[in-house]
Amino acid sequence: MAESSTSQRSRVAVIGGGLVGATTALLLHGLGFPVTLVDRQRPKINTGALGIDIRNVALSPASRSLLQQAGIWGEVPATPYHHMCVWEQWGTAEVHFDAADAGVPELGWLIEMSPLVCAAWQQLEVVGVELVEASIQHVVPQTDNVLLQFDNGAQQFDFVIAADGAQSVVRKALNLGVEQQHLDQVAIATVVRTAEAHQQTAWQRFLVEGPLAFLPAPDPQVCSVVWSQTKAKAEQRLQLDDAAFAEDIGHAIEHRLGEVLAVDQRFSFPLTQQRVKQCAPHPRVLLIGDAMRVVHPLAGQGVNLGLEDVHNVLQVAAHQSNLAAPDIWQRFARQRQTRSALMIQVMATLQQVYTNPKPAMALLRNLGVQTFNALDGVKRQVMREAMGLSHLG
């Protein structure tokens, strides 16, 4: 690093206290930057009827490494998954991914989001990062600072990193353009208990209406579920009683884990894909995570892409004391926006291919899956890409 005095480094505001924002604040603080984390309110742990948070995330080995660096890995139980099984509604072809084939102990980990974010905030307090609970009213980038107007006051910062999600207040305040793909789908998220163990396997079936994923929890007979589908189907399923929904979802996953014995509360959310046209719109402002791009959840890459952003931010910040120095974010912006565009296109293509109900397309899909499953080298590269160990983008 060019300079060692904290007083000589940019004063940074990180907007958004979710996992991506909190990790950014922790790691920039570790580099010696004075950091303030801003969010509307402190996080709290959410626990459903089956004992875990309904919102679970799949974290790659690369993401785990970053969270270890931030000092928050190991604070919350994580469920490793060693296998992944993918198949579709029409046909018999399947793809199997195994950690051993990629030369790693695990493909990734499933972890409850709200306890993890709470652990990150505890670590922020331990290391002394300033925490501001406030809503942002205005964001005014200026030549020598950025003015943040809160609902309870105002502060000036040298540099602002927006990690405040898909509905980013910072992005809207700066009137930044967004390219959107409306998918005409929603997802139902819940947690289920099954008669048989999940075998530390992530199960995903591509239905014509959208993908259904059963993801392993610490309890061997509990899985978190994300089910993408049409809005009309989701509205019908949200009206079902628990027994009827359990039967419906068990049939949809072909009872791979036996009978679905219990279901937790169900939530739905609309699916969209979007990316900001410029993630470094001003020398003193940077957008990362879902504020930069949102991808379809079918591959579980949203949070991992956000943590990739954090890793790349650190690569720049490790060699700069002034984060608003001219042109230092150009390469970051080019690389991250290219990767965002690639991932959005991949997700859109998969969704289009698997929601096509024509028999000829089903035949082509099955032939393609059979061929892919036999190509060990290609499968290994795809696994390493998903684990954040190599980047096609």
Side-chain angles (χ1 to χ4, degrees):
M1 298 179 192
E3 302 173 68
S4 59
S5 172
T6 299
S7 63
Q8 295 174 311
R9 297 186 185 281
S10 298
R11 184 173 179 234
V12 182
V14 177
I15 314 301
L19 183 61
V20 170
T23 303
T24 303
L26 283 166
L27 293 172
L28 285 178
H29 174 84
L31 290 176
F33 289 91
V35 180
T36 299
L37 181 70
V38 182
D39 203 304
R40 288 174 297 174
Q41 60 186 11
R42 297 179 65 88
K44 60 181 181 180
I45 294 177
N46 300 310
T47 303
L50 295 182
I52 66 171
D53 188 2
I54 289 177
R55 189 182 178 200
N56 280 243
V57 291
L59 295 178
S60 68
S63 293
R64 177 192 175 179
S65 178
L66 200 68
L67 297 184
Q68 285 177 320
Q69 187 179 343
I72 58 177
W73 186 262
E75 297 300 312
V76 178
T79 305
Y81 62 99
H82 307 289
H83 317 284
M84 188 170 184
C85 179
V86 182
W87 74 107
E88 71 152 299
Q89 182 171 352
W90 306 117
T92 58
E94 298 184 358
V95 178
H96 296 271
F97 299 98
D98 291 284
D101 294 336
V104 294
E106 304 91 0
L107 291 175
W109 296 261
L110 271 297
I111 192 165
E112 298 172 68
M113 181 59 95
S114 64
L116 185 59
V117 174
C118 287
W121 274 61
Q122 291 173 357
Q123 183 67 5
L124 288 163
E125 290 181 318
V126 168
V127 301
V129 170
E130 180 184 18
L131 301 174
V132 173
E133 295 180 50
S135 296
I136 294 176
Q137 305 298 315
H138 300 287
V139 181
V140 185
Q142 303 175 118
T143 302
D144 56 356
N145 61 58
V146 181
L147 174 65
L148 295 182
Q149 180 70 51
F150 306 132
D151 55 359
N152 56 4
Q155 290 192 48
Q156 291 179 336
F157 296 89
D158 299 315
F159 194 74
V160 169
I161 298 176
D164 54 341
Q167 303 301 320
S168 171
V169 173
V170 174
R171 189 184 68 229
K172 292 177 180 179
L174 297 179
N175 294 315
L176 300 180
V178 174
E179 296 177 353
Q180 286 189 316
Q181 292 181 356
H182 296 289
L183 303 176
D184 194 29
Q185 280 192 320
V186 300
I188 292 178
T190 189
V191 173
V192 300
R193 177 173 292 279
T194 57
E196 299 176 13
H198 52 59
Q199 305 160 53
Q200 292 186 309
T201 298
W203 306 85
Q204 186 164 41
R205 188 182 186 205
F206 280 91
L207 303 165
V208 171
E209 63 186 89
L212 167 62
F214 272 49
L215 306 172
D219 185 321
Q221 290 176 263
V222 171
C223 291
S224 60
V225 171
V226 180
W227 191 356
S228 303
Q229 55 201 274
T230 64
K231 183 178 180 180
K233 284 286 189 179
E235 288 175 350
Q236 293 173 10
R237 289 183 171 119
L238 290 171
Q239 298 302 315
L240 297 175
D241 62 29
D242 287 352
F245 181 78
E247 176 57 31
D248 191 23
I249 201 170
H251 175 75
I253 202 72
E254 294 192 312
H255 299 288
R256 288 290 179 105
L257 303 180
E259 183 183 357
V260 176
L261 302 175
V263 297
D264 209 324
Q265 186 175 356
R266 286 159 262 162
F267 296 97
S268 68
F269 53 92
L271 295 179
T272 187
Q273 294 204 121
Q274 66 183 38
R275 69 184 182 100
V276 70
K277 295 179 180 178
Q278 176 54 267
C279 67
H282 187 277
R284 296 184 179 274
V285 179
L286 191 69
L287 278 70
I288 65 173
D290 284 357
M292 184 199 300
R293 115 282 289 143
V294 177
V295 300
H296 194 292
L298 68 88
Q301 288 298 302
V303 171
N304 293 304
L305 285 170
L307 293 173
E308 281 181 21
D309 296 338
V310 179
H311 174 74
N312 286 21
V313 166
L314 294 179
Q315 288 181 317
V316 176
H319 302 287
Q320 296 285 340
S321 59
N322 176 16
L323 297 187
D327 302 328
I328 65 171
W329 297 105
Q330 284 187 351
R331 184 182 182 195
F332 171 94
R334 183 172 61 252
Q335 290 180 335
R336 299 314 296 162
Q337 287 177 208
T338 298
R339 182 146 170 81
S340 298
L342 174 65
M343 292 301 294
I344 285 172
Q345 186 56 51
V346 168
M347 296 303 107
T349 300
L350 282 173
Q351 198 245 357
Q352 290 167 4
V353 167
Y354 275 98
T355 55
N356 189 323
K358 294 181 179 179
M361 180 59 74
L363 176 61
L364 287 173
R365 285 195 301 263
N366 275 269
L367 290 173
V369 167
Q370 288 174 343
T371 301
F372 175 79
N373 199 45
L375 297 174
D376 292 340
V378 176
K379 277 176 58 177
R380 187 177 301 109
Q381 177 62 35
V382 169
M383 284 189 284
R384 293 184 65 81
E385 169 73 15
M387 291 186 289
L389 301 178
S390 65
H391 291 165
L392 298 177

